[in-house]
Structure formats: C-alpha cells, structure tokens
Amino acid sequence: MSINNQQITDLIIQSLPDAEVAVHCFSGDDHFEVEVISPSFEGKNRVAQHQMVYAALGDNMRQAIHALALTTRTPSSIKET
Amino acid sequence: MPAQKKIDQLVKSNRVVLFMKGTPEFPQCGFSQQVSAILNHLNCEFVAINVLLDDEVRQGIKDYANWPTIPQLYVAGEFIGGCDIIREMYDNDELQPLLTPQG
C-alpha cells in the first residue's frame, strides 16, 4: 500500500515535533515534494538534515523513497525573505 | 575486498567521485543523469562508479553514507549529497567553489 501526504507529515512530526511540513503529491504521478522547516536543523549540513527526515520516515517509505524530492530549511534562513 | 573498504578507498583516493546508475555517457536514471550533467557543465573532472555493475557496491554505498538512494556525490572523501542537494547547491552557487581545488 502506498503512503499518502498525511502519513508522511505525521511520520515527520513524530520525530521532529517542532517541524513545519509541506507535502505535495502530483496526481497521476507517484512523486512527492516534501519541504521540512525545523529549528532542529540549525547547525547541520544538508546531508545531516535530510538524514533526520529519512530516519523519521523509516521503513515506511523504503520503496517510495526514490519518489521523494526533499527540501529542508531552518526557520532563520527563511526570515530573510 | 569487502565493499565498504572498496568504497572507502575510492572516495579517499579520488577528489570527486559520483556513484551513479549507468555512466555519464549512458545514465540509467534521471537523477543520476542530472548530477553527472551538472558536473560536466561545471567542467569538473570526476570518477563515475556505475553501481549497476556491482550489487555489493550498490548496497554498500547506501550503508557507507547512511543514505538510501543513488546518485551520491563525494568530494575530498566527504559525502556531499544526492540529486536534490546537488541541484540546490548548484542553484545557490555553492557547488562550484566546493568542486574547485583550493590553492
């Protein structure tokens, strides 16, 4: 059974309760765009930030992980705009 | 030689290493194609490892980097990221300085 937007959001929030999560799934396509903004990402490089999200998703997305386009941000990096 | 050791040697003895599906000339996956195209566009010399030729390396590289997907780009022995990260760094002009050897 494939995973849906809400499940992705829930899994991420479970591990990163301070995160804002935006999930877009393109209809007719299994691809997801996920953006996660969290203060927990402060001081970490992108690889480390993405690894935190992958860890949150765990085995649930093992098959679908290739369909995931991930962007991570810290709240401070957004305030500029 | 165990895969982890093989991988470790590869990333430590070559400055820029891309683990990808297929080759830069014949990429077998859109994400691998994108990263090799970016490196070529930046005129960066790199070693391309086709993980489709070696199942142990294909799985081993995911364990090595604690990263579930391929492509994976290494610069100076450090894992830099997969397609999403490389594209973002390229768009933000962060990639080129990283690829250029210092001094």
Side-chain angles (χ1 to χ4, degrees):
Chain A
M1 187 169 211
S2 52
I3 196 167
N4 67 32
N5 295 20
Q6 191 57 53
Q7 286 171 312
I8 293 175
T9 304
D10 290 346
L11 283 166
I12 296 173
I13 299 286
Q14 245 173 58
S15 294
L16 297 167
D18 58 7
E20 273 176 52
V21 183
V23 181
H24 304 287
C25 177
F26 299 95
S27 61
D29 185 0
D30 275 337
H31 282 74
F32 295 93
E33 272 185 14
V34 178
E35 187 186 33
V36 185
I37 304 166
S38 167
S40 304
F41 292 151
E42 246 359 296
K44 297 188 164 71
N45 67 19
R46 287 184 182 90
V47 166
Q49 294 176 11
H50 287 214
Q51 282 171 333
M52 288 169 74
V53 177
Y54 287 142
L57 295 171
D59 287 345
N60 298 283
M61 276 198 84
R62 191 186 298 230
Q63 295 306 107
I65 204 79
H66 305 274
L68 183 68
L70 180 59
T71 309
T72 54
R73 298 253 183 282
T74 57
S76 56
S77 70
I78 299 178
K79 273 199 201 116
E80 314 304 304
T81 37
Chain B
M1 186 192 295
Q4 294 295 300
K5 190 159 179 208
K6 211 189 292 184
I7 291 164
D8 194 59
Q9 265 188 19
L10 278 166
V11 305
K12 293 198 164 126
S13 51
N14 298 285
R15 187 177 153 72
V16 183
V17 184
L18 176 65
F19 291 83
M20 64 181 291
K21 294 182 179 176
T23 64
E25 294 75 30
F26 297 104
Q28 297 298 302
C29 136
F31 303 119
S32 289
Q33 185 275 328
Q34 286 178 54
V35 177
S36 66
I38 287 173
L39 294 176
N40 282 325
H41 178 73
L42 295 176
N43 283 320
C44 174
E45 269 187 44
F46 64 101
V47 170
I49 306 295
N50 183 356
V51 303
L52 299 179
L53 297 179
D54 189 336
D55 270 346
E56 278 187 19
V57 169
R58 184 176 179 173
Q59 182 51 47
I61 196 66
K62 297 176 186 176
D63 298 331
Y64 185 84
N66 183 27
W67 190 264
T69 54
I70 284 151
Q72 293 188 15
L73 181 67
Y74 289 76
V75 177
E78 187 188 337
F79 174 52
I80 303 305
C83 184
D84 293 344
I85 291 177
I86 298 306
R87 281 184 52 183
E88 194 176 333
M89 289 175 73
Y90 175 66
D91 288 341
N92 293 335
D93 293 322
E94 291 174 43
L95 188 60
Q96 184 144 25
L98 185 70
L99 296 174
T100 310
Q102 303 301 315

